[in-house]
Amino acid sequence: DRMKQAVSRTRESLEDRIETVLSMTRTVDDAALEELEMSLIASDIGVNVTTEILDALRERAKRQQIRDGEELRSLLKEQLKAILDEQARPPRTVANPPEVILMVGVNGTGKTTTSGKMAAHFRAQNKSVLLCAADTFRAAAIEQLEVWSQRSGVEMIRSKQGGDPSAVLFDALQAATARKKDYLIVDTAGRLHTKAGLMDELDKMRRITQRFIPDAPHEVLLVLDATTGQNGLQQARLFTESAGVTGIVLTKLDGTAKGGIAVAIARELKLPVRYIGVGEKIDDLLPFDSEAFVESLLG
Ligand code: GDP
């Protein structure tokens, strides 16, 4: 299936290594577990999560509860899935449409692309969508979103470049309400003159949204580039601390063998992964499914 294909590079590397580990030793001994530890760290699952998983596996191995490679594989799957599921939350029920989704994150992670893909995703479910081009800082962002709006057959609210993002957001909130849209997707700036400036801007946008629709924004999705691995995680903390992030979109999983970063994100940021980006095309966005993801990761 699509997730399997997309995550196949990760899968090859992680699975191959685990296969090697398992074929090297008939029994699950210390050396085998150490190899596994290295493989997990190499896949960007992170040192903390890896240590936690290995501690549990070593404990079981000591009590001779892991008889062979297959058992080790299924225990590992169970643990990875548990970490991902710990953060799973049912989508919020929206009292009055539109459901407002703010897309945040640094430039180049795929915010604009993901906004466009999401618009198409909701359209395919027969929902009405309005796009808001609130990244008025990056010159090409508005034009780029315009292309996506045409591709997905979704209307877009824009202002000229350099305009006030709060003003365009206000217009979009008004239009989405008046036109009774199911969703309003807001593409925000990933860079301003200063980090503090950017966080203030995002905070202001959240307050405007809230004043307009009391239980909104319903989602603040932080877009992270999977190829930046543990560095991206560092950068993500800044946003989660000040932008009220409710979930993650992990992009460019098609371009990395380090899909383990999804597990690190769930644990370290304590946030659910909502969608994954697996390419540059309009249907290259998949709702996240922990079972399928772990299955893709470990075979
Ligand atoms: P923004 O600055 O955060 O709005 O980022 P963009 O949406 O402009 O995306 C930056 C680049 O990443 C573009 O060339 C996109 O086509 C590309 N991109 C976005 N998502 C994905 C993905 O899931 N896979 C791949 N391979 N490329 C992506």
Side-chain angles (χ1 to χ4, degrees):
D1 67 331
R2 305 235 14 243
M3 188 176 297
K4 202 144 203 158
Q5 268 172 19
V7 188
S8 67
R9 290 184 58 182
T10 298
R11 176 193 146 111
E12 273 162 31
S13 65
L14 189 54
E15 199 189 5
D16 284 357
R17 287 203 194 89
I18 290 170
E19 283 315 334
T20 313
V21 169
L22 301 179
S23 60
M24 267 167 40
T25 41
R26 292 227 164 271
T27 53
V28 179
D29 59 8
D30 282 349
L33 288 172
E34 217 158 283
E35 277 296 316
L36 177 63
E37 186 167 17
M38 289 304 127
S39 313
L40 291 177
I41 290 172
S43 84
D44 256 349
I45 280 176
V47 175
N48 293 347
V49 181
T50 301
T51 305
E52 188 185 315
I53 289 174
L54 262 294
D55 284 352
L57 290 177
R58 285 205 178 93
E59 193 51 45
R60 290 223 187 182
K62 215 191 310 174
R63 284 185 269 136
Q64 288 167 347
Q65 287 173 333
I66 313 177
R67 277 177 310 224
D68 56 23
E70 272 321 297
E71 279 188 6
L72 179 58
R73 185 200 306 274
S74 67
L75 278 174
L76 184 58
K77 269 191 199 171
E78 221 172 83
Q79 283 179 311
L80 294 176
K81 187 170 180 302
I83 293 172
L84 292 166
D85 287 345
E86 215 174 291
Q87 302 307 326
R89 272 153 236 169
R92 267 181 67 181
T93 45
V94 177
N96 294 301
E99 173 167 345
V100 183
I101 304 174
L102 299 187
M103 309 296 291
V104 305
V106 300
N107 273 356
T109 53
K111 271 188 313 299
T112 305
T113 307
T114 304
S115 301
K117 288 176 184 173
M118 279 180 70
H121 172 75
F122 293 136
R123 279 298 298 137
Q125 299 173 342
N126 265 327
K127 302 288 185 189
S128 58
V129 186
L130 187 68
L131 279 166
C132 171
D135 182 356
T136 58
F137 192 81
R138 182 163 72 91
I142 301 173
E143 280 69 33
Q144 211 180 312
L145 195 66
E146 183 93 62
V147 173
W148 280 105
S149 107
Q150 282 157 12
R151 249 182 230 162
S152 54
V154 161
E155 286 176 274
M156 178 181 119
I157 300 290
R158 61 179 289 171
S159 72
K160 57 183 186 315
Q161 197 223 320
D164 180 0
S166 298
V168 68
L169 172 63
F170 191 84
D171 288 349
L173 285 162
Q174 247 173 348
T177 309
R179 299 176 201 173
K180 298 193 171 20
K181 299 288 185 187
D182 296 312
Y183 290 95
L184 172 62
I185 301 171
V186 185
D187 185 24
T188 67
R191 232 208 93 210
L192 287 184
H193 300 290
T194 64
K195 272 181 191 160
L198 175 58
M199 294 306 146
D200 284 350
E201 185 68 59
L202 291 174
D203 189 49
K204 189 173 163 196
M205 295 181 85
R206 264 202 305 158
R207 278 185 284 114
I208 288 169
T209 306
Q210 208 161 34
R211 219 176 305 146
F212 211 94
I213 303 169
D215 65 336
H218 305 90
E219 286 264 36
V220 179
L221 294 181
L222 175 63
V223 181
L224 290 179
D225 177 343
T227 65
T228 60
Q230 295 285 323
N231 289 335
L233 208 58
Q234 257 335 93
Q235 172 196 93
R237 288 204 180 87
L238 178 71
F239 281 89
T240 54
E241 279 159 19
S242 37
V245 175
T246 61
I248 302 291
V249 180
L250 193 58
T251 62
K252 310 188 197 182
L253 265 177
D254 53 309
T256 177
K258 293 168 174 272
I261 192 67
V263 179
I265 285 169
R267 173 50 57 86
E268 306 282 332
L269 300 179
K270 302 207 172 357
L271 285 168
V273 179
R274 289 284 196 220
Y275 296 93
I276 59 174
V278 297
E280 298 185 89
K281 291 196 300 294
I282 197 158
D283 58 352
D284 288 335
L285 183 78
L286 305 173
F288 186 74
D289 171 342
S290 64
E291 176 95 43
F293 188 80
V294 170
E295 200 60 45
S296 314
L297 217 52
L298 294 177

